[in-house]
C-alpha cells in the first residue's frame, strides 16, 4: 500500500517537473518570438500619425490605401499608430513629446507651434498648396427642417437660440468658427459704415457668444453633443455636416452669406521621423494625401479638394457664398493670434465679458 503511495507521489512529482519544463520552454519560445517580431512591427515600419479629430474618418479610409500602395512599391508592410485630438491639444502633445512622424492639424498656426519647437522645418509651406491638404468653410447646422428659421450668423444673436461651438483654447475648429463670426462682423460693418470696424465685429461676436450653450474640447466633441440633442444650431465645418448627412443623420446646412475659407495643413515632423528612421515613409504619406485618389476620398468625406481637377469634378456638391473670405481678410494668422487669441485679445475679452 505504501509502495503504491510512494509511486503515486513520484509520478505526481515527475508530472509537475515536466509541466514546469514545458512552461519554461513555452515562455522562452514566446520571449524569442517577441524579440524577433517581423519587420512590419519594427518602429521604422510604423508610421505615427497625430491628427485633429475631424479628419479621423477620412484618414481611417486613406491608411489602408496608402498601405497597399507602399507595399506594391517597396514590398514593405507598414503599420500605423494613430492619435486623434482637438488640433490645439494635438499640437501641444507633439511639442510635449508625443513622437508623431506626421501631423495633420486644423490650421497653420498649430503647425507654427511645431516649428517654434524645432520639430518641423520653417519652410514647410514651400510645398504644393502651401502645405494644405484639404479645404472647407464654416457653416451652420440646424435640426431637420430648420425649425428656428436660421439664415445667417445674425440669427445666432436672437434671444432663446442655443448655439454650439467648441473651445478655441483647445480646438482649431473653434478658432475657425470664431474667425468666421468675427470676420462676418467686419463684413457687416463694411456694408453699413463703408469700412472695417473691429469694435463692431467684437460686439457682434459678443452677441453670438451670449447664446452659446457649451464650449466643448473639439469640433468632433461639439458635433457629438449636438447629435445628443444639445443646442439648436452648431457652428462647424461644412465637411462635418456633409459627412453626418451622408451617414443618414437628418440636419439642415445653412451657409452664411459671409464666412471663412478653412485650410488644413499636413507636415512631416522632421525630428521624430528622423529619430524613427521614417523620413522617406512620412514624406511619401504626406505626398500621397495630395494625390487625386486621396483627394477624392477627402471629398467623399465632405472636404473641398485642393486638387483643381478633383475639385472641378466635385464642385456641384458645394456652394460658394457671396462673401467668402480667407484668413488674409483678418490680416493673416500672426495678426489673428495677436488680435483675437492673445491674453488680452478680443476672444478673451468676450469670454470675460469685458
Amino acid at each position: 500500500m505504501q509502495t503504491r503511495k510512494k509511486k503515486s507521489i513520484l509520478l505526481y512529482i515527475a508530472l509537475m517537473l515536466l509541466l514546469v519544463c514545458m512552461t519554461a520552454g513555452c515562455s522562452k519560445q514566446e520571449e524569442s518570438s517577441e524579440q524577433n517580431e517581423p519587420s512590419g512591427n519594427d518602429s521604422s515600419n510604423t508610421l505615427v500619425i497625430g491628427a485633429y479629430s475631424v479628419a479621423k474618418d477620412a484618414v481611417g479610409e486613406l491608411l489602408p490605401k496608402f498601405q497597399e500602395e507602399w507595399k506594391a512599391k517597396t514590398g514593405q508592410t507598414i503599420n500605423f499608430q494613430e492619435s486623434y485630438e482637438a488640433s490645439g491639444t494635438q499640437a501641444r502633445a507633439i511639442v510635449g513629446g508625443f513622437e508623431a512622424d506626421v501631423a495633420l492639424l486644423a490650421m497653420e498656426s498649430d503647425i507654427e507651434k511645431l516649428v517654434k519647437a524645432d520639430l518641423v522645418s520653417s519652410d514647410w509651406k514651400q510645398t504644393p498648396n502651401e502645405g494644405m491638404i484639404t479645404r472647407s468653410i464654416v457653416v451652420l447646422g440646424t435640426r431637420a427642417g430648420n425649425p428656428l428659421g436660421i439664415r445667417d450668423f445674425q440669427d445666432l444673436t436672437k434671444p432663446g437660440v442655443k448655439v454650439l461651438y467648441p473651445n478655441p483654447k483647445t480646438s482649431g475648429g473653434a478658432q475657425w468658427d470664431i474667425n468666421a463670426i468675427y470676420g462676418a462682423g467686419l463684413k457687416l460693418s463694411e456694408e453699413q459704415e463703408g469700412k472695417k470696424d473691429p469694435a463692431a465685429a467684437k460686439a457682434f461676436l459678443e452677441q453670438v457668444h451670449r447664446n452659446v450653450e457649451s464650449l466643448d474640447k473639439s469640433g468632433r466633441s461639439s458635433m457629438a453633443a449636438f447629435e445628443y440633442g444639445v443646442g439648436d444650431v452648431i457652428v462647424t465645418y461644412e465637411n462635418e455636416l456633409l459627412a453626418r448627412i451622408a451617414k443618414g443623420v437628418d440636419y439642415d446646412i445653412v451657409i452664411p452669406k459671409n464666412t471663412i475659407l478653412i485650410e488644413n495643413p499636413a507636415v512631416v515632423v522632421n525630428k521624430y521621423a528622423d529619430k524613427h528612421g521614417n523620413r522617406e515613409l512620412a514624406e511619401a504619406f504626406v505626398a500621397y494625401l495630395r494625390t487625386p485618389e486621396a483627394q477624392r476620398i477627402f471629398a467623399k468625406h465632405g472636404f473641398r479638394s485642393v486638387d483643381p481637377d478633383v475639385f472641378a469634378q466635385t464642385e456641384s456638391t458645394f456652394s460658394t457664398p457671396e462673401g467668402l473670405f480667407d484668413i488674409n481678410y483678418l490680416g493673416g494668422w500672426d495678426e489673428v493670434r495677436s488680435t483675437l487669441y492673445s491674453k488680452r485679445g478680443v476672444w478673451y475679452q468676450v469670454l470675460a465679458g469685458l
Side-chain angles (χ1 to χ4, degrees):
M1 183 83 172
Q2 247 177 345
T3 305
R4 191 181 302 160
K5 189 174 180 183
K6 279 182 184 177
K7 282 182 180 178
S8 297
I9 290 169
L10 288 169
L11 182 61
Y12 176 75
I13 291 169
L15 286 168
M16 289 300 292
L17 286 169
L18 180 63
L19 185 60
V20 169
C21 289
M22 286 173 68
T23 305
C26 287
S27 296
K28 281 180 184 175
Q29 233 177 358
E30 286 167 8
E31 217 172 277
S32 168
S33 169
E34 285 170 8
Q35 289 170 355
N36 297 290
E37 288 177 338
S39 61
N41 289 328
D42 184 73
S43 65
S44 63
N45 296 329
T46 299
L47 191 67
V48 184
I49 297 170
Y52 70 110
S53 57
V54 170
K56 183 176 182 179
D57 294 341
V59 173
E61 188 172 343
L62 286 163
L63 294 184
K65 302 278 189 186
F66 177 71
Q67 192 176 45
E68 287 173 18
E69 183 178 289
W70 188 258
K71 175 80 170 176
K73 180 182 176 183
T74 66
Q76 185 182 50
T77 299
I78 55 170
N79 302 296
F80 302 99
Q81 180 186 330
E82 306 158 55
S83 167
Y84 300 93
E85 285 283 357
S87 186
T89 303
Q90 189 68 269
R92 283 191 292 274
I94 294 170
V95 169
F98 168 49
E99 296 186 359
D101 299 310
V102 172
L104 288 78
L105 299 179
M107 56 192 185
E108 178 182 326
S109 59
D110 281 337
I111 300 294
E112 287 301 321
K113 293 172 188 172
L114 309 187
V115 173
K116 286 178 182 175
D118 292 325
L119 299 174
V120 169
S121 171
S122 59
D123 65 354
W124 67 273
K125 293 186 78 175
Q126 303 301 312
T127 52
N129 304 303
E130 297 190 321
M132 304 303 159
I133 55 159
T134 51
R135 295 188 179 112
S136 191
I137 62 172
V138 171
V139 299
L140 309 176
T142 76
R143 305 295 173 189
N146 193 1
L148 298 183
I150 303 297
R151 294 285 175 262
D152 214 326
F153 283 126
Q154 291 95 309
D155 295 319
L156 306 190
T157 67
K158 293 177 179 176
V161 176
K162 296 174 183 177
V163 179
L164 285 186
Y165 52 64
N167 189 338
K169 187 174 181 180
T170 56
S171 168
Q175 289 195 26
W176 283 117
D177 297 340
I178 301 302
N179 295 348
I181 297 166
Y182 182 79
L186 287 177
K187 287 273 188 180
L188 283 171
S189 68
E190 275 192 300
E191 290 171 11
Q192 294 166 3
E193 305 167 27
K195 63 178 182 177
K196 292 180 186 176
D197 183 349
K202 178 192 170 188
F204 184 65
L205 180 57
E206 283 174 330
Q207 290 168 357
V208 173
H209 187 68
R210 284 193 202 111
N211 284 342
V212 169
E213 190 84 345
S214 68
L215 290 173
D216 294 293
K217 181 181 177 182
S218 69
R220 183 54 58 92
S221 298
S222 190
M223 197 72 230
F226 190 61
E227 293 201 346
Y228 190 70
V230 179
D232 302 311
V233 186
I234 184 168
V235 185
T236 189
Y237 287 21
E238 176 188 48
N239 56 279
E240 271 286 77
L241 289 170
L242 287 173
R244 299 308 299 147
I245 291 168
K247 290 181 179 179
V249 185
D250 199 3
Y251 294 130
D252 280 15
I253 297 177
V254 176
I255 299 178
K257 175 186 171 185
N258 300 310
T259 192
I260 197 165
L261 177 69
I262 296 167
E263 295 187 290
N264 314 117
V267 294
V268 175
V269 185
N270 301 328
K271 183 175 179 179
Y272 298 143
D274 288 341
K275 179 180 177 180
H276 301 155
N278 272 343
R279 174 69 80 96
E280 183 184 359
L281 176 60
E283 288 178 346
F285 179 68
V286 172
Y288 171 73
L289 296 177
R290 299 189 180 99
T291 64
E293 178 183 54
Q295 287 294 305
R296 279 191 285 271
I297 290 172
F298 277 125
K300 174 183 167 185
H301 288 271
F303 290 95
R304 297 177 179 224
S305 177
V306 296
D307 182 296
D309 293 334
V310 175
F311 183 70
Q313 293 161 15
T314 57
E315 192 171 4
S316 60
T317 312
F318 306 104
S319 299
T320 301
E322 180 185 330
L324 184 65
F325 56 91
D326 63 18
I327 197 68
N328 294 317
Y329 177 74
L330 303 180
W333 275 112
D334 286 343
E335 178 69 19
V336 166
R337 278 196 298 270
S338 171
T339 302
L340 266 70
Y341 303 114
S342 64
K343 287 183 180 178
R344 296 183 181 180
V346 168
W347 164 250
Y348 290 100
Q349 291 177 36
V350 167
L351 205 58
L354 298 175

